[in-house]
Amino acid sequence: MKIISGIAASNGIAIGPIFLYEEEDLSFERSRCSDSTKEMKRLNGALEKARGEIETIRDKAEAETGSDEAAIFEAHAMFLDDPALLEAVEKTIKEEQLNLESAWMDSIEMYASQMEAMEDEYFKARAADIRDVGNRILRILLGKQETDLSSMTSNAVVVARDLTPSDTVRMNKKLVLGFSTVEGGPTSHTAILAKALGLPAVVGAGSELLKHADTKKIIIDGSTGVIILDPDKKQVKEYQEKQGKEEKRSKIALEHAHEPARTRDGHTVEIVANAGGPEDAASALEHGAEGIGLLRTEFLYLDSKTAPDEETQLAAYTAVLDVMGKRPVVVRTIDVGGDKEIPYINLGREANPFLGFRAIRMCLQDPEFFKTQLRALVRASFGHDLRIMFPMIATIEEVRQAKVLLEEAKREVYKANHSIARTIQVGIMVEIPSVAILADLFAREVDFFSIGTNDLTQYTLAAERTNDRVAYLGDACHPAVLREIARVIEEAHKQKIWTGVCGELAGDPDAVPILLGLGLDEFSMAPSLIPRAKEIIREWKLKDARKAAAAVLNLHTAREVREFIHSQKP
Ligand code: PEP
Ligand code: MG
């Protein structure tokens, strides 16, 4: 038995077997070799095995997600039979007297970079596929097993170093009991995904986690950050009881989830959901959401092999809007970069991607790419309350430029004889301190603010959100962040615009009364957190929440803030 303490990232308890998702170590030696016949025979064996693997994945993809996904693997299989590639490998072995692993990877890299250098987006995207196939063969040559998340076949807790959004695209989420990762902080994508799925998660557990991951059973407690590997019977019983109690409590909260979030003294706030795709919209409604406060559109770009065209995007946004009817839906334009990589959008290598070329910065430099999304959004707006939000805004110029492009997109849509909603609110995410500081000026430019506390915290405390070594700094309840929020809400109200929070803080039970007391208008969170947040708001009086909020702004640390709120529980 081994107990590890990680970061509590998504509430709930999971007890079950481990599914270990290991990154493959594909390092190999570059050595000399003169027997090309022997090496080519080895290659043929690996190609044969790869064909079998790809066929299995293809069939699974077709059964689960349809023919688009399956087509990716058909292309992979075809690539294995490319005579030019095999000739290139054989030639390299003979001429440079290199071993097969080196000759194979050199040839793959040559092909992939040729593809990358092409203008056409389709061919550019093929580079990632070629590398994927290249790594598959290399893994087989090195005698390693595939640890694809899609190979999970029964219920288990996923244990991994870290999970990127693309890792999780092909995972069968119905089988996952919870997540536990070595890396990551409370706002990493594993945490966000877990909350979206209503699954427990403990992140930032450190490398000890992988050292003990060969045990049969694991318990993770997503509200305390405790991980127990190979628990004894007493612990299993104890956690099963805790699990039962939690389930009972959330059942009661769920029964009242469709009632408004009204304080005991009659103040009502709006509770909406964060969504990562159309499937979350239904879950949002089931959990009592009054709209969508943040639709992360990256899903659309991640789910396809090349940038989705206007029609594809229109269909995806319409799918969400149709579920939500007339309720407000805030759609955030693409927020690529930082921890959100999209294989075919090459942002280049940077020393500090979180401070680099990303999101709105990239969109403003590629107006045609950006306007494809804007046109799709504008078209989708007809008959709905669609609102558009720009991420990672740092300067007033960016807001103005983005608005100019939106106007252009509207004109293009009109010209093409499509209808548009009469009003489309335009807002920005407040996630860079410069915007919080100049909130009075930004408030004159937009219809609303939505505070992204995940990024606002990382930039305010200079603590990267995915780095577990500095995760202790990244508590959004830090008074510095709370003061920024207070300022943003106050300045917004002076200009008569509304403010929401769509970072993880909005659904944090300790923060809900504080945000309420600061005058927040809209709380946007993972659907699974809505019933509890509404329950908390109903327990408070606005006047007490105001007093509590004023008090925490004068505290010194995040810990003091949380302790204070615990002491104030009504
Ligand atoms: C945020 O930064 O708080 C936010 C909601 O956006 P994301 O987590 O997608 O960066
Ligand atoms: Mg953000």
Side-chain angles (χ1 to χ4, degrees), residues 332 335 340 358 392 429 431 452 454-455 465:
R332 177 176 74 185
D335 187 20
K340 306 182 191 90
R358 53 174 299 201
M392 288 298 296
M429 290 203 60
E431 45 190 351
N454 307 339
D455 278 316
R465 62 195 266 190

Side-chain angles (χ1 to χ4, degrees), residues 535-546:
E535 196 172 58
I536 295 170
I537 286 164
R538 289 189 206 112
E539 286 164 1
W540 281 76
K541 279 189 181 162
L542 178 63
K543 97 174 160 30
D544 296 333
R546 278 195 183 132

Side-chain angles (χ1 to χ4, degrees), residues 8 62-63 67 78 119 122 335 350 438-439 493 529 558 562:
E62 178 142 51
S67 53
M78 267 160 66
E119 280 292 308
Y122 174 78
D335 187 20
E350 292 179 320
L438 298 184
H493 288 175
L529 303 179
R562 291 191 184 274

Side-chain angles (χ1 to χ4, degrees), residues 138-401:
L138 180 63
R139 175 180 51 72
I140 295 171
L141 290 175
L142 296 173
K144 301 204 165 164
Q145 285 304 316
E146 183 167 35
T147 54
D148 190 331
L149 276 168
S150 64
S151 60
M152 192 169 174
T153 51
S154 56
N155 283 343
V157 175
V158 174
V159 171
R161 177 158 292 284
D162 202 6
L163 294 168
T164 65
S166 21
D167 278 336
T168 54
V169 166
R170 294 195 191 124
M171 175 172 72
N172 183 350
K173 298 175 187 79
K174 288 198 187 92
L175 297 176
V176 179
L177 299 173
F179 298 100
S180 178
T181 59
V182 171
E183 292 170 6
T187 59
S188 62
H189 274 274
T190 306
I192 293 172
L193 177 82
K195 281 188 198 154
L197 297 171
L199 291 173
V202 177
V203 299
S207 42
E208 277 288 283
L209 176 66
L210 294 185
K211 280 191 206 141
H212 300 274
D214 55 349
T215 57
K216 287 215 173 68
K217 219 183 202 132
I218 186 171
I219 297 178
I220 61 167
D221 184 342
S223 44
T224 59
V226 167
I227 299 172
I228 309 176
L229 292 141
D230 196 18
D232 58 29
K233 277 199 182 120
K234 199 168 144 253
Q235 283 162 327
V236 173
K237 192 160 173 273
E238 183 194 324
Y239 275 88
Q240 276 169 344
E241 277 169 14
K242 207 173 160 194
Q243 197 178 33
K245 270 192 202 146
E246 276 191 13
E247 277 169 11
K248 218 168 167 180
R249 191 175 148 180
S250 33
K251 202 169 152 252
I252 295 172
L254 192 61
E255 280 164 13
H256 297 278
H258 296 275
E259 295 162 22
R262 186 172 301 132
T263 60
R264 281 165 53 207
D265 50 356
H267 174 73
T268 308
V269 291
E270 206 179 349
I271 308 285
V272 292
N274 290 353
E279 67 285 356
D280 291 343
S283 162
L285 288 185
E286 274 162 35
H287 288 88
E290 294 150 11
I292 301 279
L294 166 65
L295 177 66
R296 290 184 165 97
T297 57
E298 294 78 60
F299 77 92
L300 243 177
Y301 295 80
L302 275 170
D303 280 354
S304 67
K305 271 182 65 199
T306 52
D309 61 17
E310 191 177 315
E311 298 301 324
T312 310
Q313 295 200 39
L314 173 65
Y317 305 141
T318 305
V320 176
L321 289 159
D322 283 347
V323 175
M324 300 310 291
K326 298 276 178 210
R327 296 176 185 85
V329 173
V330 179
V331 185
R332 177 176 74 185
T333 59
I334 184 170
D335 187 20
V336 62
D339 54 341
K340 306 182 191 90
E341 273 188 52
I342 295 178
Y344 51 85
I345 300 181
N346 185 6
L347 297 176
R349 290 226 169 275
E350 292 179 320
N352 296 299
F354 278 104
L355 301 180
F357 184 64
R358 53 174 299 201
I360 197 74
R361 304 170 182 190
M362 181 274 253
C363 288
L364 293 176
Q365 290 209 14
D366 191 348
E368 284 317 311
F369 170 83
F370 191 31
K371 275 202 292 177
T372 304
Q373 180 170 40
L374 295 176
R375 281 194 303 270
L377 287 172
V378 166
R379 284 174 63 186
S381 72
F382 187 65
H384 298 281
D385 183 358
L386 179 143
R387 305 167 182 191
I388 296 176
M389 170 158 84
F390 302 122
M392 288 298 296
I393 292 289
T395 68
I396 296 270
E397 290 99 314
E398 286 169 345
V399 184
R400 292 184 180 158
Q401 283 169 27

Side-chain angles (χ1 to χ4, degrees), residues 344-549:
Y344 51 85
I345 300 181
N346 185 6
L347 297 176
R349 290 226 169 275
E350 292 179 320
N352 296 299
F354 278 104
L355 301 180
F357 184 64
R358 53 174 299 201
I360 197 74
R361 304 170 182 190
M362 181 274 253
C363 288
L364 293 176
Q365 290 209 14
D366 191 348
E368 284 317 311
F369 170 83
F370 191 31
K371 275 202 292 177
T372 304
Q373 180 170 40
L374 295 176
R375 281 194 303 270
L377 287 172
V378 166
R379 284 174 63 186
S381 72
F382 187 65
H384 298 281
D385 183 358
L386 179 143
R387 305 167 182 191
I388 296 176
M389 170 158 84
F390 302 122
M392 288 298 296
I393 292 289
T395 68
I396 296 270
E397 290 99 314
E398 286 169 345
V399 184
R400 292 184 180 158
Q401 283 169 27
K403 280 167 66 182
V404 166
L405 291 174
L406 178 58
E407 285 312 309
E408 276 179 29
K410 279 187 188 168
R411 276 200 298 277
E412 289 164 13
V413 167
Y414 271 130
K415 246 185 165 167
N417 284 324
H418 298 296
S419 306
I420 301 180
R422 199 166 305 149
T423 42
I424 301 178
Q425 289 193 21
V426 177
I428 54 170
M429 290 203 60
V430 179
E431 45 190 351
I432 297 183
S434 61
V435 182
I437 294 165
L438 298 184
D440 50 334
L441 304 181
F442 280 93
R444 294 183 172 94
E445 307 281 331
V446 292
D447 301 314
F448 66 91
F449 286 147
S450 184
I451 308 174
T453 48
N454 307 339
D455 278 316
L456 187 62
T457 307
Q458 83 161 338
Y459 295 128
T460 300
L461 288 131
E464 196 184 303
R465 62 195 266 190
T466 54
N467 184 341
D468 54 301
R469 296 171 76 189
V470 293
Y472 70 97
L473 289 165
D475 188 338
C477 271
H478 193 283
V481 180
L482 297 179
R483 285 193 192 191
E484 285 175 310
I485 298 173
R487 175 171 169 72
V488 171
I489 298 173
E490 199 182 325
E491 295 301 336
H493 288 175
K494 279 189 201 158
Q495 296 302 324
K496 308 225 171 336
I497 66 167
W498 62 269
T499 300
V501 166
C502 62
E504 299 309 298
L505 192 70
D508 179 334
D510 292 347
V512 169
I514 302 174
L515 297 172
L516 173 71
L518 291 176
L520 192 74
D521 306 292
E522 182 236 43
F523 295 61
S524 190
M525 62 196 75
S528 62
L529 303 179
I530 291 177
R532 177 76 189 122
K534 284 192 169 181
E535 196 172 58
I536 295 170
I537 286 164
R538 289 189 206 112
E539 286 164 1
W540 281 76
K541 279 189 181 162
L542 178 63
K543 97 174 160 30
D544 296 333
R546 278 195 183 132
K547 275 191 214 147

